[in-house]
Amino acid sequence: MTTASSSTPGWSKVQIPRPLQRLFDLFPLRAYEPNDLPERSQHLTFSSLPTLFIFTTDEDARLGLPSFNPTCLRWQTLLRLTGLEFRVLPSTNHASPTGALPFLLPARSSSTGSSSSSSGALPPSTSPSQPPPPSSSPSPPTPIPASKLLAYAQSHANPAKSSHPATSGDRLFPSRARAYVALVSNHLRSAWLCALYLDPARAGLLDALYLRPASSSAAVRAALRRQLRKAAGEQILDSAPAAGALRSRPGERERERERAEQGKGAPSWDWAWQEDGTAIDPRAVYASAREAMAALASLLAESKTEWFFDAEAPSEFDAAVFSYTHLMMQYMSDGEEEAGALGKMVQSAGDGELARHREKLWRFAWPEGNGEAKEGR
Amino acid sequence: MASFWPGGSPAAGVADAPANRGPTQMLDEHRLTPASISKLEVHGAPNTRRALLDHVLGPLVADSAAPGTTLGQVLDRIGDATRKLSRFDIFKEEGFNVFLSEAPRPEGAPPADRTDLEVAINVKEKSRLVFTAGTDFGNAEGSAYTNAIARNIFGGAETLSINASTGTRTRSAYNATFSTPVNNNPGLRLSLEALRSATQKPWASHEERLTGGNVRLAWLTAARDTHTLSYASVWRQLTGLSATASPTVRADAGDSLKSAVTHTFVRDRRDNPMLPQSGYLFRAVSELAGWGPLQGDVSFAKTELEAQSNLPLPLRGASLGAGFRFGLLYPLPTGYSLTGPAQPSRINDRFQLGGPTDVRGFKLGGLGPHDGADAVGGDVFAAGSVSALLPLPRTGPDSPLRLQLFANAGRLVALSTKPSAKAKGKAGKAEGQDRDGLALDSAAVFKSVKSAVGELGNGLPSLAAGVGLVYAHPAARFELNFSLPLVLRRGEEGRKGLQVGVGISFL
């Protein structure tokens, strides 16, 4: 049965007779000003600045502090390096056009709706100048997914502010870097996922970062926690050959359990069992992360500048490494390295090159010094 | 011995059956003679608990024992009791049969001053397990469903209904409802429901997934009004945004838990809900979400009123109808505070207005604030309609077909702290934008609600008028209208020309 909404396309294809069309053109007899958009929309989607939606807290967002999600932090760092003026707001993957954060929403403009003006004459961030009157823009801006962020930033950033045209020449990564990208995107990432999502000892951290902002309900958080853990386990296993995580064979689970029951001093969290019966060995994951960090540290030691690959200014690769080393040091510095104290692992890699690199890039991207997040979260 | 049909109208089955005329006349003549019930039997209810029948039929015997009870009163009470039994929905409507006979008097007993009656009620139980599949029409939606009902599970008219459906807008919906009369009273039912669904909301470019449950207590008053008190806890996930989804929808995407108590009152005095010719309807829904012990992620008070009145015209089959709806959402602080900061509403809590079943001549969600193509809803609305139903010359007043002339109007406004257009000059620009978070303090909430309610009367309401055909099927009402929008706000989506409406509740 056709409802009015679904019948629309069918009718619009029919050629409307001329007299009827003339009648239709008379209506409506009167059109008032548009309705104002709701308060949440006014507050969250109207700004004179483009808005980067990332995983963060309300408070950190207001101060522009680093995101606690590595992918978001990587893009946030890069955008800051380009000199683009933007604000950040907390969001969820559901909001993103790609299904994953981050994404950027250009400021609404009253005239055309698409902010394609490449003049770069964005108002300074300090002025709270009111954006154009809401709801009058016929077409709201389309969101920019992460993959197109740099192109957008380069056409919109204030060149004066971008003293470090870091990303101008490089496409995605310098060709030499590509070989090392897997170290970050597989080994460091797997270790981060394993420590944050699968280690029961960090359930509190996972709750604080991802679950409490989603809902105040314990039942909803429990359902989300299960989904997150499952997804994290799958992603680790996907990169398992590279990251050294082990799949188990049937029967191994029982043997593991027996060994644990015999009290052979096995730590409480030895294997992270997935629903399909495979398991992840955290020790293997952490060991391969340590190797990766050592390789990155020596790579950094070889560089003539303070950044990777002899670059004059931090590149995307620097941002990618930073996004993990920074968060590992900030959130995972307690405990033993074998038990997933990834922060300590970063510090002890090589001669501490990675820790110094993280410090430097942090100061560089957050020169105003407000990148200092509160400790002991 | 007499037999009659208590379920339907007095005329049904009795007056037209010549065979029954003698006994009926006999009964009429004897309505004033004293009578009592000496014995009452129920046949044909092997699966029904005795307590359930006792609760309905016990008072019947007890009341009839009082001296001065007449035969007429006994018959009326039997009629009431069988109507009550039929409300349990475990007996077949056509299966009721009541037999009266005079109790045999013991040998040599003194002549009694009243007639002792023996009553036998025959019933037929409905199937205890029913599977159905079919298609369904809700408001502006068609769907296919499969349904399993287990009736009278423990013999006390308990029902378990399990339902799975998929439709034009509802991608999937599963729910299981267990329902039971409280204290064996058919007018008081308690039900528990668990549900999971995914529904597309094309007017706002997203999909909403619900997982949750509710407890519901429904009762029928002596005046035939229904009250429903329910508590629901639902996890809502706003996801599956289309590529063109507006910033407003993106800002509201994600998870939220709504924990709310709702009271619904319905007084339906219309002669026919699908094609009312006379009578009125009043419906009031009040909801409290998130406040105090309710917890959850959203907190507000919400109320919705609906009134409809119909007046027959001198011409048979012609009538004049008027309807009015009003709704208001008031953001509340969480916890027990009344003055703390309150979060402004989300899209899945706000009202939508417009469409073939409410304000005709507008697209679904066509009224109110729009962000690009998305109808993002509002916190306050008012809508009204006037319509005349006229019988068609060929088919006449007895057919379910009518010609309809209508005009309807509505306003849907969102709460906003943005200074209104008039006040913009003096109020300065920074208000609202500079505050720390999204939350509003109680004074700002009150001010914005007041200004939104005031905005309802600012200028003419968005208005459409038209003419069309109405077909009232017992299951749903179908409308085909030609309409034109006369007044609207820019951004609102009027619909010029033909519009089809299918639904069970129209403005």
Side-chain angles (χ1 to χ4, degrees):
Chain A
M1 178 51 60
T2 334
T3 61
S5 50
S6 56
S7 68
T8 310
W11 285 107
S12 60
K13 274 180 215 136
V14 179
Q15 186 70 41
I16 301 171
R18 186 70 52 86
L20 200 58
Q21 184 61 56
R22 237 174 277 145
L23 173 72
F24 282 4
D25 289 344
L26 291 176
F27 293 93
L29 301 175
R30 172 134 197 212
Y32 287 98
E33 283 297 296
N35 294 296
D36 284 342
L37 284 174
E39 182 62 22
R40 258 179 83 88
S41 171
Q42 304 259 0
H43 194 76
L44 297 175
T45 70
F46 284 88
S47 170
S48 48
L49 296 176
T51 306
L52 183 70
F53 288 87
I54 55 174
F55 283 108
T56 183
T57 62
D58 284 324
E59 199 185 341
D60 286 5
R62 201 155 51 242
L63 300 171
L65 298 188
S67 165
F68 53 75
N69 172 281
T71 311
C72 291
L73 178 56
R74 183 177 135 206
W75 291 108
Q76 187 186 8
T77 309
L78 275 173
L79 278 193
R80 288 183 78 96
L81 293 178
T82 60
L84 180 77
E85 298 264 10
F86 64 97
R87 64 166 186 167
V88 296
L89 277 181
S91 186
T92 78
N93 281 338
H94 298 289
S96 174
T98 59
L101 289 179
F103 70 96
L104 184 104
L105 207 58
R108 297 190 191 237
S109 73
S110 57
S111 50
T112 56
S114 75
S115 39
S116 56
S117 66
S118 54
S119 64
L122 283 168
S125 64
T126 45
S127 135
S129 70
Q130 196 74 357
S135 73
S136 56
S137 54
S139 62
T142 43
I144 315 280
S147 58
K148 293 184 180 140
L149 274 182
L150 282 186
Y152 175 85
Q154 275 154 16
S155 61
H156 288 77
N158 187 350
K161 289 239 174 187
S162 172
S163 46
H164 303 274
T167 52
S168 52
D170 321 333
R171 288 245 170 67
L172 207 72
F173 290 110
S175 50
R176 268 184 70 202
R178 260 172 234 153
Y180 291 92
V181 166
L183 291 181
V184 180
S185 61
N186 284 339
H187 298 236
L188 292 193
R189 180 175 159 76
S190 288
W192 168 262
L193 292 177
C194 190
L196 178 60
Y197 292 87
L198 302 187
D199 186 350
R202 290 207 179 75
L205 181 63
L206 181 63
D207 263 30
L209 296 184
Y210 286 100
L211 300 174
R212 233 170 284 158
S215 176
S216 63
S217 148
V220 171
R221 290 209 293 256
L224 291 175
R225 186 181 301 120
R226 224 180 125 240
Q227 289 173 7
L228 282 179
R229 290 210 158 129
K230 186 161 175 278
E234 282 167 6
Q235 294 199 16
I236 295 172
L237 286 177
D238 278 349
S239 60
L246 297 181
R247 287 169 192 271
S248 84
R249 269 163 237 100
E252 206 161 319
R253 185 175 197 168
E254 278 62 44
R255 255 173 280 144
E256 278 287 321
R257 202 176 289 144
E258 277 167 29
R259 244 182 289 162
E261 279 166 6
Q262 285 159 13
K264 292 204 173 165
S268 62
W269 184 61
D270 238 13
W271 289 73
W273 291 95
Q274 299 302 296
E275 281 171 0
D276 58 356
T278 56
I280 293 158
D281 180 2
R283 284 162 304 195
V285 175
Y286 295 150
S288 75
R290 190 178 298 114
E291 285 166 26
M293 286 183 196
L296 290 170
S298 68
L299 188 65
L300 205 49
E302 286 166 17
S303 174
K304 294 189 198 83
T305 63
E306 50 199 350
W307 313 114
F308 281 98
F309 309 116
D310 308 332
E312 289 299 315
S315 70
E316 282 189 52
F317 191 79
D318 291 283
V321 173
F322 169 77
S323 69
Y324 285 99
T325 55
H326 176 73
L327 294 177
M328 285 170 174
M329 288 184 70
Q330 186 164 10
Y331 293 108
M332 295 173 180
S333 285
D334 300 331
E336 306 210 354
E337 276 187 35
E338 288 71 26
L342 300 174
K344 284 189 179 158
M345 212 184 275
V346 172
Q347 269 174 323
S348 61
D351 286 331
E353 286 97 344
L354 284 180
R356 284 198 297 279
H357 172 263
R358 170 249 186 179
E359 191 71 21
K360 239 172 265 162
L361 187 45
W362 189 9
R363 302 277 165 239
F364 198 80
W366 276 266
E368 62 274 28
N370 62 5
E372 301 270 11
K374 298 163 304 305
E375 289 299 324
R377 197 202 301 269
Chain B
M1 182 179 277
S3 157
F4 70 108
W5 304 81
S9 62
V14 179
D16 298 336
N20 285 346
R21 187 163 291 156
T24 310
Q25 276 173 354
M26 187 267 284
L27 280 178
D28 282 346
E29 286 159 17
H30 292 84
R31 282 185 72 87
L32 291 175
T33 58
S36 73
I37 297 175
S38 68
K39 190 170 156 194
L40 192 146
E41 287 176 342
V42 176
H43 301 285
N47 296 317
T48 305
R49 241 187 354 233
R50 174 77 192 260
L52 190 76
L53 299 173
D54 276 353
H55 185 268
V56 176
L57 301 174
L60 180 67
V61 180
D63 289 354
S64 307
T69 309
T70 64
L71 180 60
Q73 284 170 320
V74 170
L75 293 180
D76 289 346
R77 281 175 194 154
I78 293 175
D80 284 346
T82 47
R83 265 190 291 276
K84 257 187 161 177
L85 282 181
S86 75
R87 280 216 302 270
F88 281 123
D89 197 32
I90 54 176
F91 302 119
K92 287 181 180 165
E93 204 69 46
E94 72 283 0
F96 281 99
N97 260 314
V98 178
F99 297 93
L100 301 178
S101 57
E102 204 168 321
R105 215 166 283 140
E107 278 302 312
D113 54 344
R114 57 183 183 181
T115 319
D116 275 339
L117 294 172
E118 285 188 356
V119 181
I121 301 178
N122 279 7
V123 294
K124 280 185 190 147
E125 288 185 339
K126 286 187 177 177
S127 308
R128 295 185 81 191
L129 204 55
V130 180
F131 292 94
T132 47
T135 50
D136 217 352
F137 295 113
N139 272 359
E141 150 149 45
S143 61
Y145 67 89
T146 56
N147 179 241
I149 299 179
R151 239 188 237 114
N152 207 8
I153 305 171
F154 306 116
E158 302 88 355
T159 307
L160 177 68
S161 165
I162 296 173
N163 197 53
S165 68
T166 177
T168 49
R169 261 170 37 205
T170 307
R171 278 207 312 128
S172 67
Y174 306 92
N175 67 337
T177 311
F178 176 79
S179 151
T180 176
V182 179
N183 198 17
N184 298 319
N185 180 354
L188 181 62
R189 277 195 100 86
L190 179 74
S191 54
L192 297 164
E193 181 183 21
L195 66 95
R196 186 181 187 106
S197 70
T199 308
Q200 262 155 4
K201 308 272 171 93
W203 56 87
S205 312
H206 70 269
E207 179 181 308
E208 190 180 36
R209 293 187 191 155
L210 303 179
T211 310
N214 62 63
V215 187
R216 184 188 302 252
L217 188 67
W219 67 98
L220 194 67
T221 67
R224 288 182 296 125
D225 299 330
T226 52
H227 289 265
T228 311
L229 191 63
S230 70
Y231 168 76
S233 178
V234 186
W235 169 20
R236 294 106 42 99
Q237 195 170 60
L238 215 143
T239 186
L241 270 60
S242 71
T244 55
S246 65
T248 304
V249 175
R250 289 192 190 279
D252 279 352
D255 302 283
S256 63
L257 181 95
K258 182 171 91 166
S259 166
V261 285
T262 308
H263 174 258
T264 308
F265 170 83
V266 180
R267 169 174 289 182
D268 192 350
R269 297 280 191 276
R270 293 174 299 177
D271 55 346
N272 174 352
M274 294 303 162
L275 197 67
Q277 303 276 319
S278 70
Y280 66 93
L281 166 80
F282 180 75
R283 197 170 67 95
V285 185
S286 323
E287 181 178 18
L288 180 68
W291 188 79
L294 291 170
Q295 307 286 339
D297 298 318
V298 292
S299 185
F300 56 81
K302 196 171 168 182
T303 182
E304 207 177 337
L305 303 173
E306 177 176 6
Q308 196 192 94
S309 181
N310 303 282
L311 206 66
L313 291 175
L315 176 69
R316 200 166 83 84
S319 66
L320 209 57
F324 179 75
R325 287 181 191 175
F326 171 80
L328 173 71
L329 185 152
Y330 196 102
L332 290 176
T334 45
Y336 291 88
S337 147
L338 274 177
T339 53
Q343 295 284 334
S345 59
R346 296 171 185 241
I347 190 167
N348 38 6
D349 292 319
R350 286 193 289 267
F351 299 105
Q352 289 286 355
L353 190 66
T357 61
D358 50 47
V359 184
R360 304 168 186 90
F362 289 87
K363 288 182 184 168
L364 214 57
L367 286 170
H370 279 67
D371 190 3
D374 288 343
V376 297
D379 302 276
V380 185
F381 82 91
S385 96
V386 240
S387 63
L389 291 173
L390 302 169
L392 288 166
R394 279 280 184 82
T395 57
D398 294 322
S399 83
L401 209 59
R402 290 286 183 281
L403 179 73
Q404 167 174 258
L405 303 168
F406 68 88
N408 50 202
R411 281 290 276 136
L412 175 65
V413 180
L415 297 193
S416 158
T417 54
K418 192 175 83 91
S420 66
K422 282 175 284 180
K424 207 175 263 176
K426 43 190 169 165
K429 352 172 155 177
E431 194 190 352
Q433 202 73 19
D434 274 357
R435 69 168 189 272
D436 270 1
L438 186 53
L440 300 170
D441 63 53
S442 56
V445 170
F446 180 75
K447 213 176 117 198
S448 57
V449 170
K450 208 176 130 206
S451 94
V453 172
E455 179 65 24
L456 290 178
N458 181 16
L460 293 169
S462 296
L463 178 70
V467 56
L469 287 172
V470 175
Y471 174 73
H473 186 266
R477 169 165 158 158
F478 296 75
E479 289 192 357
L480 174 66
N481 293 315
F482 178 90
S483 58
L484 287 167
L486 305 177
V487 179
L488 47 69
R489 268 77 195 158
R490 277 188 280 120
E492 292 186 336
E493 295 181 279
R495 176 139 183 86
K496 299 174 188 176
L498 290 171
Q499 190 176 34
V500 178
V502 183
I504 43 177
S505 155
F506 282 76
L507 177 69

